[in-house]
Every structure is written in structure tokens, then in C-alpha cells.
Amino acid sequence: MIDTDMQNKKIHQGRNIKRFREMLGIKQEALAFELGDEWNQKKVSLLEQKETVESDILTQIAQILKVPAEAIENFDEEQAVNIISNTFTSNDTSTLNAINVQPTFNPLDKMVELYERMLEQQREMIEKLERLIEKK
């Protein structure tokens, strides 16, 4: 039953863009600036409301945010919360006890890697904004 629910659940790519952008501390205006002249804050806001985002735009945003496009395409917050709560709130010794998943990677390593990329992206964005301010 869980597998069927997960397969039927639609991933909201626009909301995922917003989540990753906010985790990185990037404003809509800054993302619009990085996307190019035809973009503005309002257009980014509208994009974040779309359930499905065009693959070329999604790829461009993933590059700007320095996250894999697959993360934006597939991230399901509800599933992530369930995995975390079932992993860290149980007193028994089973791993991921509510969901039978055997990841081929260490999820903690992936979280640290994502966090490090987010920090680096934030530093780069601050540098770009400082250069932009200096020009004016």
C-alpha cells in the first residue's frame, strides 16, 4: 500500500525549487538575476507555483543552486520526514524500520554534502551581490 501511494503521489517541482532556494538562503530576485534578463521576481514566484517545470529551466535552476536536477524532480518532503522520524525516533535497533529501504549510500553523507554545497552557493551569491553593489 505504501508503494502504491508513493507512486501515485505527484512531486511538486516548483515547490521543491522554492524549498532548495530557501534552504540556500537565496531570494527570488537573486535567482531571477542568475536566470537572465527575461526573468524577474514575479516570474520566479509563478514558476515556484507550477507542479511541473520544463526540463531545460529545471536543469538551469539546478545548476544555479548547485543541486542535482533529480533532487528537484524527485524530492518528497513527506517521505523524507517519514524516513527521518522512523529512523531517529524509534528505540529499536532496526534501520528505517517503517520502510524497507537499503540505500546504496550513506544518507548522512549526502545531507552533509548538500549542506556544504548550500554554504558554498551562499558564499558565491554574497560575493556576486557585493560585486554588484560595488559597480553601483
Side-chain angles (χ1 to χ4, degrees):
M1 176 140 187
I2 292 173
D3 291 332
T4 307
D5 290 344
M6 282 194 256
Q7 289 172 355
N8 292 336
K9 185 171 175 92
K10 275 292 235 177
I11 303 295
H12 196 289
Q13 294 174 349
R15 196 174 304 128
N16 286 345
I17 290 171
K18 180 178 181 177
R19 284 188 184 112
F20 283 107
R21 178 183 59 73
E22 288 176 342
M23 282 191 287
L24 291 164
I26 298 172
K27 300 251 182 233
Q28 288 178 333
E29 295 88 350
L31 181 58
F33 176 80
E34 290 293 321
L35 286 167
D37 292 335
E38 68 278 359
W39 285 86
N40 57 38
Q41 179 272 325
K42 184 176 177 85
K43 192 170 178 181
V44 170
S45 178
L46 292 172
L47 177 78
E48 290 177 351
Q49 295 173 32
K50 293 175 73 174
E51 187 169 324
T52 304
V53 176
E54 296 81 8
S55 63
D56 58 328
I57 294 172
L58 191 128
T59 301
Q60 189 178 0
I61 290 172
Q63 289 172 345
I64 292 167
L65 298 179
K66 295 189 176 169
V67 298
E70 294 80 18
I72 297 170
E73 291 172 331
N74 300 320
F75 181 74
D76 181 357
E77 184 176 33
E78 185 177 315
Q79 183 179 359
V81 168
N82 286 337
I83 290 171
I84 291 168
S85 67
N86 289 324
T87 302
F88 297 109
T89 60
S90 177
N91 290 329
D92 70 25
T93 57
S94 64
T95 304
L96 300 175
N97 53 17
I99 301 174
N100 188 13
V101 175
Q102 295 295 324
T104 58
F105 59 88
N106 183 342
L108 189 55
D109 288 343
K110 292 294 182 184
M111 291 300 292
V112 169
E113 183 182 320
L114 178 60
Y115 183 71
E116 288 172 347
R117 274 193 260 155
M118 289 174 11
L119 288 175
E120 180 61 30
Q121 177 69 23
Q122 190 173 22
R123 280 193 285 269
E124 289 175 8
M125 194 60 73
I126 290 170
E127 289 173 9
K128 288 178 183 179
L129 291 172
E130 286 173 347
R131 287 194 302 268
L132 188 62
I133 290 170
E134 287 174 6
K135 288 181 182 178
K136 292 186 177 192

